Amino acid sequence: MEHTDESVDVESRDLHSTKGTDTYDLESNADEDDSYSGSSGDESSETESSETGEDASDNIGAAVHSEVNFDSITSDEIRAMEFATVSEAYEFYYRYGKCKGFAIRKASSRIKELDGNKVTQMKQFVCNRHGLREKKHLTRLDRKVEHRRLSRTNCEARFRVQYRKQKDRYVVTAFVECHNHELTPARFVHLHPVYRKISEADKAQIDGLQTRGIRTCHIMGYMIAQKGGYASVGFTKKDLYNYFDKKMRECIKDGDVVASLNYLNVKSSTDPMLYAEYAVDNSNGRMRSLFWADGSSRSDYFCFGDVLAFDTTYRKNKYNYPLVVFSGCNHHSQTVIFGAALVADETTETYKWVLNCFLECMEGKQPKAVVTDGDGAMREAIKQIFPDATHRLCAWHLNKNAVENVKDNPEFLDGFQKAMYSNFTKDEFEEYWSELIKETEVEQHPWVVKTYENRSLWATGYLRDQFFGRIRTTSQCEAVNAIIKTYVRTKGCIFEFMHNFDQVLRDYRNNELEADFKSKFTVPVLTTQLRVIESDAANTYTAEIFKEVKEQILKAGALIVKHKSDHGDTKIYTLTKFCNDTYERKVVFDGTTLQCSCKLFDSRGVPCSHIFYVMKDEHVDHIPRPLVLSRWTKDAKIEYLNNMECNGDVESNVVEEARFGAYCSAFTSFCKEAAKKNGVYGQILDDIMKLQKKYCINDDPIIGTQNPAVGDPVAVKSKGAPKKKKKEPKSVRRCGKCNATTHNARTCSEGTQKATEPIVDLQSVSISDAISQMDEKKKRKATCNVDRSVQKKGSRPPIHRGAKATVTTQADTNGCYNQMHFQAQMDVTGTSRHLNAMCGVQPVMPMVPHMFQPMHLQPVYPMYGMSVGQTASSCYGMLQQSVGQSSRSCYSLLQQVEKAATDV
């Protein structure tokens, strides 16, 4: 039992050709050693092995060696070769083609069962320019994309091997060396697709680089520098992009949302505190919103969740879903992410759903203060879900709006910034604002009036007694967005985004780890005169917060006591600055705690310079514990976090990829050096096999996947002006009666029978193609044509229906062009041709026989259906042979058509 595998693509078949086509006899022979013969048009160019029982290759010894010199090897040496496997034969021809300057591909094969096993009896490899593109792809009328550039020339170069049972080897039975095209120069050979491949070692490196956020173009540059040039890298930039796209498509083959949920499900096995929730659109079953927060993010919120920055950023995913980021500030004044969500829109209901998920995730703990960018829907949702939280508008967004709305008024813009950031009291702010708008003449400006009405959401004078830590803006969210852009591709999927978002989290947490090390295992240099107080602050606060505390200690040197009063155990200090009598602050000291009218401790959580001055005056050598906010100390994190592994948040697959890249890099250098040494090949292989047996034991568990129950989201429109759509090609307009493209229904002649076949333009399709199409159409509709002919037999002669042809001729008479259109029905049967004009069809213009000129077709190289070098005149001969004429030209054909149309 045997069968044939014709492994060729759409371009590899030699249709409508009798010369140069490999038509092999695939029937099994009684003798298993019979060669696989082929009937080629040029048998002299192909050498077959001897078919006798003699072993013609015994005296040659044609084993394949890696030391084959492809530059000097001869055809006779190649024909005498033997191979152990088909793969070995392919490898030889692969290297041979690369050296000579042409690409190869696998062609036909013959498989036969021997002793219950399928054995490849014959395998043929051909030049990649073997065959021609199928003509149906050139003549189709519904093409939507441009043609691919032609590469096939019907090249006859080939290399065939056949299995010999006596030897248990494959021998060369055919080798054609000559090509009918120019060979590729050496500097272009590496661009052939067959010679472009990303090796496993290269994949390990580029995967590791992409995981770390390196852009694809930079990865390509790195590989080019590492390999020593474009020709040595082994692949192109497009191949690299395709590799990443294919890898991602394999990950989300069951659906983007399904892959993302599976990812979270697997992650929850190592992170029991992981929380995730999604909303589905009931109308179509597709996901609308997704919220998630891992265990570390939830722990961070329990420590530093008193102030929450809530903003919507990042729309570069393929669905245009905005990313909602919940962030805050940790004890090192670094950005910490509490959770994230992808939402379908930015409405109040959607924000309410996200905030409810966040509140449930954080076990009902509400923040004390929330900072947003001022979005109206977001503000309304916060009022309903976090009613007790103090809402503050982002100072950066507010200043940006001021620049956009109050243009050409720099005095107001400078004063507005001072009104936002200065530590005014409410009365001082009102007084300053009245003077500012009066001096800058913006009292009636609508934006200024509306902004003043919301002053309690942005003015420090109204927020100075509320704790916001170091958060005045949503810059934490903007910073997260900037970092995500370095990791995520434009229009990437949700699954890819979640992987890269976790990488962002790992980066932030590593920054916190480094800051912890700096704070706990290093000490600052004490430079102030209050060494005891400064030392206590250094031992209490983290390194970053200590800088701010130290700045306040230094400012205490510029303060002067203006008045001091005692009220029992309570002392009240009135302080002013050196050479600034208008500046005045009051500090109340009751023996254990201190309170200052500047409210710096209430809003920032650190003692102010006025408190440090009173401590110096009262000889207090340490900061009172009520003035030490635990969130700024070195031990701010919950104790159980110290028991977690420092690398517990690193996924196992990331570690595996890093190790794989390191192993490949080491082995690449090793193999390069070991290949230069002689006599140690077998020993090195034995050592490698021992390493494999020792360490390579596949005991990794297999993780199952979920059933696809949720559909992928629908892409939503983003804010802003819509993008310009690409102009689509206009569709061809056809006549509503006869389906022609040369006129419309109003100009169509009366009595014309409605055509049922598309019009073929002889100027764009070869004539042989038109004849072939007519034969095929005629056979397909033979029954219908006979019935219609019988029905109309009494009224008029039968019309032979075939492919409808429209011919346009032009003649130049005294510099003027005249055009003539005619339509005729052609029927080709055997050796006769019938040209009968349709009843009632009149030529559009008078027929002028003397103006007819032979129709010249523009030759296309190579012309399909012709051999290379065949001209259009030979195409005319093909038409004459098809229609049973002797030696007539297209000129004669047109004359007959003219005569038939005139007779009607």
Side-chain angles (χ1 to χ4, degrees):
M1 178 181 178
E2 62 184 61
H3 65 276
T4 301
D5 176 20
E6 295 291 343
S7 56
V8 292
D9 57 20
V10 295
E11 296 188 2
S12 63
R13 302 184 183 275
D14 304 332
L15 299 180
H16 310 294
S17 176
T18 60
K19 186 176 181 179
T21 304
D22 299 328
T23 56
Y24 300 110
D25 181 13
L26 301 182
E27 295 181 359
S28 61
N29 298 317
D31 186 359
E32 294 179 350
D33 295 329
D34 285 348
S35 67
Y36 190 77
S37 61
S39 59
S40 175
D42 187 6
E43 294 294 341
S44 62
S45 65
E46 183 172 281
T47 302
E48 299 286 352
S49 298
S50 176
E51 299 306 319
T52 63
E54 300 175 359
D55 190 355
S57 60
D58 286 344
N59 300 326
I60 298 177
V64 178
H65 300 284
S66 59
E67 295 83 5
V68 174
N69 189 348
F70 292 98
D71 293 326
S72 60
I73 192 170
T74 64
S75 299
D76 293 336
E77 292 174 344
I78 293 176
R79 294 185 181 102
M81 282 188 168
E82 296 180 0
F83 305 92
T85 62
V86 174
S87 300
E88 189 176 309
Y90 174 79
E91 180 65 22
F92 166 78
Y93 200 52
Y94 176 91
R95 295 169 60 191
Y96 175 81
K98 189 173 184 180
C99 179
K100 295 298 183 180
F102 67 95
I104 71 168
R105 75 175 191 272
K106 298 177 182 178
S108 56
S109 63
R110 184 174 65 177
I111 301 174
K112 186 176 182 180
E113 286 192 6
L114 293 177
D115 301 331
N117 298 322
K118 290 184 178 181
V119 178
T120 301
Q121 291 292 105
M122 184 279 302
K123 187 67 180 179
Q124 179 167 256
F125 311 101
V126 297
C127 173
N128 75 320
R129 293 198 171 191
H130 173 77
L132 296 173
R133 185 175 298 178
E134 290 190 14
K135 296 176 184 177
K136 66 180 182 180
H137 300 294
L138 300 174
T139 59
R140 61 187 300 177
L141 300 177
D142 58 345
R143 176 171 292 278
K144 296 182 180 180
V145 296
E146 293 292 333
H147 289 277
R148 287 188 303 165
R149 297 181 65 86
L150 303 176
S151 61
R152 304 293 177 87
T153 62
N154 205 14
C155 180
E156 294 295 330
R158 71 191 69 180
F159 178 73
R160 186 195 305 159
V161 295
Q162 185 170 346
Y163 178 71
R164 299 296 188 193
K165 186 176 180 181
Q166 293 88 342
K167 298 181 179 181
D168 193 24
R169 298 180 69 81
Y170 289 88
V171 299
V172 179
T173 59
F175 174 66
V176 179
E177 184 179 9
C178 299
H179 298 262
N180 67 348
H181 57 87
E182 181 182 1
L183 296 180
T184 307
R187 64 193 183 99
F188 296 116
V189 171
H190 69 281
L191 297 177
H192 281 292
V194 70
Y195 300 132
R196 304 201 310 257
K197 182 180 180 181
I198 304 177
S199 64
E200 293 299 324
D202 292 339
K203 288 179 181 178
Q205 292 192 67
I206 64 180
D207 287 342
L209 293 173
Q210 189 203 34
T211 302
R212 296 307 306 169
I214 308 300
R215 296 183 181 274
T216 304
C217 58
H218 298 160
I219 294 176
M220 187 65 191
Y222 168 78
M223 298 302 296
I224 292 170
Q226 184 186 68
K227 301 289 185 177
Y230 287 89
S232 302
V233 73
F235 52 88
T236 63
K237 185 187 294 185
K238 183 64 176 177
D239 296 332
L240 191 59
Y241 278 100
N242 291 341
Y243 167 73
F244 288 137
D245 290 339
K246 181 180 179 181
K247 181 181 175 183
M248 187 53 56
R249 286 196 300 269
E250 291 176 353
C251 294
I252 61 174
K253 60 183 178 180
D254 294 330
D256 192 5
V257 174
V258 173
S260 301
L261 296 180
N262 283 338
Y263 172 75
L264 293 174
N265 185 37
V266 173
K267 189 175 180 181
S268 64
S269 62
T270 57
D271 184 4
M273 290 185 63
L274 176 69
Y275 180 93
E277 188 169 346
Y278 61 92
V280 179
D281 190 342
N282 294 328
S283 62
N284 53 22
R286 297 179 179 271
M287 189 194 76
R288 281 187 52 84
S289 303
L290 173 64
F291 172 85
W292 75 97
D294 60 10
S296 297
S297 297
R298 298 178 67 186
S299 300
D300 288 339
Y301 180 78
F302 295 140
C303 298
F304 313 114
D306 44 3
V307 182
L308 178 66
F310 177 44
D311 193 13
T312 303
T313 60
Y314 182 78
R315 275 183 175 267
K316 293 179 67 177
N317 55 78
K318 65 186 294 185
Y319 310 106
N320 288 326
Y321 273 30
L323 171 67
V324 180
V325 178
F326 298 89
S327 63
C329 181
N330 66 4
H331 54 316
H332 299 292
S333 193
Q334 297 173 334
T335 299
V336 58
I337 299 176
F338 302 138
L342 288 169
V343 295
D345 51 46
E346 299 177 66
T347 61
T348 301
E349 293 300 321
T350 300
Y351 283 133
K352 287 172 61 178
W353 179 88
V354 172
L355 292 178
N356 280 321
C357 290
F358 180 81
L359 195 61
E360 181 180 353
C361 172
M362 302 308 172
E363 299 180 2
K365 179 182 178 181
Q366 295 193 10
K368 297 179 180 178
V370 180
V371 181
T372 70
D373 60 357
D375 182 79
M378 189 183 299
R379 187 189 310 177
E380 183 63 27
I382 290 173
K383 288 181 180 179
Q384 298 183 29
I385 307 301
F386 298 150
D388 298 330
T390 302
H391 188 191
R392 182 170 191 166
L393 299 179
C394 172
W396 183 86
H397 284 91
L398 200 61
N399 185 62
K400 179 182 178 182
N401 293 336
V403 173
E404 294 176 353
N405 289 277
V406 188
K407 300 178 181 179
D408 303 327
N409 197 336
E411 293 81 7
F412 172 79
L413 297 178
D414 294 340
F416 183 70
Q417 288 191 4
K418 184 177 180 180
M420 279 195 299
Y421 297 119
S422 296
N423 192 15
F424 292 128
T425 63
K426 293 181 180 180
D427 295 337
E428 291 172 345
F429 171 80
E430 295 294 343
E431 181 181 355
Y432 175 80
W433 183 263
S434 300
E435 295 177 358
L436 174 65
I437 61 175
K438 186 178 298 185
E439 293 176 357
T440 55
E441 300 179 352
V442 293
E443 299 97 324
Q444 304 301 324
H445 194 285
W447 184 88
V448 175
V449 174
K450 183 178 179 180
T451 302
Y452 175 73
E453 293 175 354
N454 296 325
R455 60 189 180 278
S456 61
L457 301 178
W458 56 267
T460 303
Y462 286 85
L463 300 170
R464 61 201 299 261
D465 56 348
Q466 300 293 329
F467 179 77
F468 284 93
R470 284 188 159 190
I471 301 178
R472 286 182 175 177
T473 67
T474 59
S475 58
Q476 285 85 358
C477 304
E478 302 294 341
V480 173
N481 187 26
I483 295 177
I484 289 176
K485 289 180 180 179
T486 64
Y487 287 96
V488 182
R489 296 182 302 116
T490 302
K491 300 301 178 182
C493 60
I494 296 177
F495 177 77
E496 180 183 6
F497 169 78
M498 296 187 71
H499 271 272
N500 292 297
F501 188 78
D502 283 346
Q503 183 60 52
V504 174
L505 292 178
R506 286 192 289 269
D507 285 348
Y508 275 120
R509 287 162 189 168
N510 183 69
N511 294 337
E512 181 181 336
L513 186 68
E514 294 177 356
D516 281 337
F517 174 82
K518 178 181 178 181
S519 298
K520 293 183 178 181
F521 299 101
T522 61
V523 293
V525 177
L526 305 180
T527 58
T528 67
Q529 297 300 317
L530 302 177
R531 294 293 182 90
V532 178
I533 298 177
E534 184 182 5
S535 177
D536 180 62
N539 294 330
T540 303
Y541 296 104
T542 61
E544 188 66 26
I545 301 302
F546 171 74
K547 293 179 182 179
E548 185 175 354
V549 175
K550 184 177 181 178
E551 183 180 355
Q552 296 298 325
I553 295 176
L554 290 173
K555 288 182 177 181
L559 298 177
I560 301 174
V561 178
K562 184 177 181 180
H563 182 265
K564 178 181 178 182
S565 60
D566 296 335
H567 300 276
D569 295 335
T570 302
K571 298 180 181 180
I572 301 176
Y573 285 80
T574 302
L575 305 178
T576 185
K577 282 186 177 180
F578 178 72
C579 296
N580 188 1
D581 294 337
T582 59
Y583 181 87
E584 186 175 296
R585 293 291 183 268
K586 292 184 177 181
V587 179
V588 178
F589 176 60
D590 60 0
T592 56
T593 60
L594 297 100
Q595 288 184 335
C596 182
S597 60
C598 71
K599 303 290 184 179
L600 180 65
F601 179 78
D602 295 335
S603 61
R604 300 293 293 272
V606 296
C608 59
S609 58
H610 317 104
I611 290 178
F612 283 118
Y613 181 88
V614 174
M615 289 173 59
K616 178 189 70 171
D617 193 70
E618 295 291 337
H619 299 280
V620 178
D621 59 357
H622 65 277
I623 302 176
R625 294 302 98 181
L627 295 179
V628 177
L629 199 63
S630 61
R631 73 175 333 274
W632 299 131
T633 63
K634 298 178 180 180
D635 300 326
K637 299 284 283 188
I638 301 176
E639 293 183 359
Y640 78 86
L641 294 178
N642 296 328
N643 299 325
M644 297 179 61
E645 294 182 4
C646 60
N647 293 327
D649 57 345
V650 180
E651 298 178 7
S652 59
N653 62 331
V654 176
V655 177
E656 290 176 6
E657 289 181 359
R659 290 172 182 166
F660 183 67
Y663 292 151
C664 289
S665 179
F667 265 91
T668 299
S669 302
F670 166 76
C671 294
K672 186 175 182 180
E673 296 298 327
K676 300 177 182 178
K677 301 184 181 297
N678 297 323
V680 295
Y681 176 75
Q683 182 180 355
I684 291 176
L685 280 183
D686 291 339
D687 292 341
I688 293 176
M689 295 304 296
K690 290 178 181 178
L691 288 175
Q692 183 177 4
K693 292 180 181 179
K694 184 177 181 180
Y695 295 106
C696 299
I697 302 176
N698 188 12
D699 56 355
D700 295 335
I702 300 177
I703 300 174
T705 58
Q706 296 179 348
N707 294 326
V710 183
D712 293 343
V714 179
V716 298
K717 295 182 179 180
S718 57
K719 293 182 178 180
K723 295 182 179 180
K724 294 183 179 180
K725 295 183 178 179
K726 296 182 179 180
K727 293 183 178 180
E728 298 181 354
K730 294 183 178 180
S731 59
V732 180
R733 299 187 64 180
R734 297 182 180 275
C735 175
K737 296 181 178 179
C738 64
N739 203 29
T741 58
T742 57
H743 59 271
N744 54 32
R746 291 188 296 177
T747 59
C748 185
S749 301
E750 294 182 3
T752 301
Q753 185 176 355
K754 186 174 181 181
T756 59
E757 304 296 334
I759 294 177
V760 180
D761 188 357
L762 294 182
Q763 291 183 340
S764 60
V765 183
S766 63
I767 297 179
S768 61
D769 291 346
I771 298 300
S772 300
Q773 290 180 5
M774 285 185 287
D775 283 329
E776 183 179 359
K777 307 294 184 182
K778 172 182 165 295
K779 294 177 182 179
R780 191 188 311 158
K781 299 181 180 294
T783 305
C784 180
N785 294 338
V786 172
D787 294 340
R788 292 182 180 179
S789 298
V790 172
Q791 294 175 2
K792 301 179 181 179
K793 186 174 181 180
S795 58
R796 53 177 175 168
I799 298 176
H800 299 273
R801 300 176 62 84
K804 192 177 190 179
T806 300
V807 181
T808 301
T809 62
Q810 294 180 345
D812 188 358
T813 305
N814 298 327
C816 298
Y817 285 88
N818 294 321
Q819 295 186 346
M820 182 278 297
H821 300 270
F822 69 90
Q823 294 180 325
Q825 299 293 334
M826 292 186 293
D827 181 26
V828 181
T829 58
T831 60
S832 63
R833 180 186 55 169
H834 303 280
L835 296 173
N836 296 323
M838 298 177 61
C839 296
V841 176
Q842 300 294 332
V844 178
M845 295 182 61
M847 312 291 281
V848 185
H850 302 288
M851 296 177 60
F852 276 97
Q853 300 293 334
M855 181 171 57
H856 299 285
L857 298 179
Q858 295 295 329
V860 180
Y861 181 79
M863 177 68 73
Y864 287 86
M866 309 180 192
S867 301
V868 177
Q870 189 175 359
T871 62
S873 61
S874 61
C875 180
Y876 303 152
M878 295 172 60
L879 174 64
Q880 295 156 9
Q881 182 179 1
S882 301
V883 299
Q885 299 300 319
S886 56
S887 57
R888 297 171 179 258
S889 63
C890 284
Y891 177 67
S892 301
L893 173 63
L894 294 177
Q895 286 180 330
Q896 289 198 10
V897 173
E898 173 201 359
K899 184 175 181 300
T902 306
D903 293 341
V904 175

